[in-house]
Amino acid sequence: MGIEEKGMASNLMFQTQTVLEPENNSEPHEPKSFEAAKPDPRVYLCFTLSSCLMAFLLPKHSWVPSYLIAATLISILAMLGGWRGATKAALVYIFVTLLAWLGSISGLDGLARTAVMLRALVCIYAPPVISAAILARGVRLHEAMTVLERMKLPRSFVLPLSVAFRYLPTLRLEISCIRTSLSMRKLSPSLAHPLRSLENFAVPVLMRSLKISEELSRSALSRGYGLAGKRSSFVRVALDGQDYALLCLIAVYTFAVSWLAVYAS
């Protein structure tokens, strides 16, 4: 009986070794390639910068160029997956347009001036907000930092930008968690008790904001953004034919909108 048990045990060990041991004939795995995202961060930077400058500097004789800039930015944001933000931005433009139309047909001078001023503010300051959302969705942080360092920008600008790039999404998540925590404790903000609601909501947000800024600053320093030497990157960030074609398309878009704003009006 003991001999049979030993034979079974040795047979089981042999089967286990057969399963666990890797096959010698298997081909070695090739190392993963670090591919940069496309389009290049410089394409996004050129597009958003040109859109924001046109929104600020072009004359407002006609609102068509401003709406064309807004439609382009909203379309790009929707293509990147930001449907919720694109819908909100489109609704804001629709609201100010309807308000300006109502002010023009109502005959009320105060309402008309207020509507025109509100539409001007939206057409000037909404494109930078939409552009920031586009950069947050389309650009990877480490690739953007590599591009900015290659552009010889000072570290005093690159390091705060790397912290701010991660700050707002993290703070938004923390605010959502604070709201969930308050609702679970039945301490949701209420107009019946404004001071207490402000205290219950604002104090945790301020404390978490301070904590997040410290953590993100340490994270950026631990990644080597504060070093004086030149940083290397596993990802090869370079412009290719597709990026140059997009840059040419951005130049045509900028020229067309500028011509429409200056001459066609």
Side-chain angles (χ1 to χ4, degrees):
M1 194 70 180
I3 297 176
E4 293 180 358
E5 291 180 355
K6 290 182 180 180
M8 293 175 61
S10 62
N11 190 16
L12 180 60
M13 291 177 60
F14 175 76
Q15 293 179 359
T16 305
Q17 292 178 359
T18 304
V19 173
L20 295 179
E21 288 180 357
E23 296 181 359
N24 296 328
N25 296 329
S26 59
E27 297 180 357
H29 296 285
E30 296 183 357
K32 295 182 179 179
S33 59
F34 296 91
E35 298 291 339
K38 290 297 177 182
D40 191 86
R42 282 162 284 196
V43 176
Y44 283 106
L45 290 175
C46 290
F47 171 68
T48 54
L49 184 61
S50 63
S51 299
C52 294
L53 289 178
M54 287 190 296
F56 273 103
L57 301 178
L58 291 181
K60 301 299 184 293
H61 303 299
S62 174
W63 295 105
V64 175
S66 298
Y67 284 113
L68 183 59
I69 295 171
T72 306
L73 291 173
I74 292 173
S75 301
I76 297 298
L77 181 58
M79 290 173 59
L80 292 174
W83 288 99
R84 182 178 299 179
T87 303
K88 290 180 180 179
L91 290 177
V92 169
Y93 275 93
I94 292 173
F95 171 75
V96 296
T97 303
L98 291 177
L99 188 63
W101 177 72
L102 291 176
S104 62
I105 66 174
S106 63
L108 300 176
D109 188 56
L111 179 60
R113 291 184 178 181
T114 303
V116 171
M117 182 182 64
L118 184 60
R119 181 168 63 175
L121 291 175
V122 169
C123 291
I124 292 174
Y125 294 106
V129 177
I130 305 174
S131 299
I134 290 174
L135 291 176
R137 284 191 168 271
V139 178
R140 297 175 182 173
L141 178 60
H142 60 279
E143 296 178 8
M145 295 301 104
T146 302
V147 167
L148 293 177
E149 289 182 355
R150 290 180 181 178
M151 295 170 64
K152 306 299 181 181
L153 294 178
R155 292 290 180 88
S156 58
F157 173 76
V158 175
L159 184 58
L161 184 63
S162 65
V163 176
F165 199 86
R166 293 180 180 270
Y167 180 78
L168 292 178
T170 308
L171 181 61
R172 181 180 179 183
L173 179 61
E174 291 292 335
I175 290 176
S176 178
C177 294
I178 290 172
R179 287 178 176 175
T180 304
S181 177
L182 291 177
S183 63
M184 292 175 62
R185 299 178 184 181
K186 297 182 180 181
L187 296 174
S188 300
S190 175
L191 295 177
H193 304 283
L195 295 179
R196 188 173 64 185
S197 300
L198 181 62
E199 179 182 0
N200 293 336
F201 182 75
V203 173
V205 170
L206 292 176
M207 296 301 295
R208 287 303 302 164
S209 301
L210 179 61
K211 191 68 175 178
I212 290 170
S213 61
E214 293 178 356
E215 292 176 353
L216 292 179
S217 299
R218 293 170 183 171
S219 175
L221 291 175
S222 66
R223 293 171 182 267
Y225 290 114
L227 298 178
K230 184 178 179 180
R231 297 180 67 252
S232 60
S233 177
F234 285 106
V235 181
R236 182 178 177 272
V237 183
L239 295 170
D240 57 7
Q242 175 187 354
D243 297 322
Y244 286 114
L246 290 175
L247 289 175
C248 294
L249 186 61
I250 292 171
V252 173
Y253 156 76
T254 304
F255 174 78
V257 175
S258 301
W259 181 85
L260 186 64
V262 175
Y263 297 103
S265 59

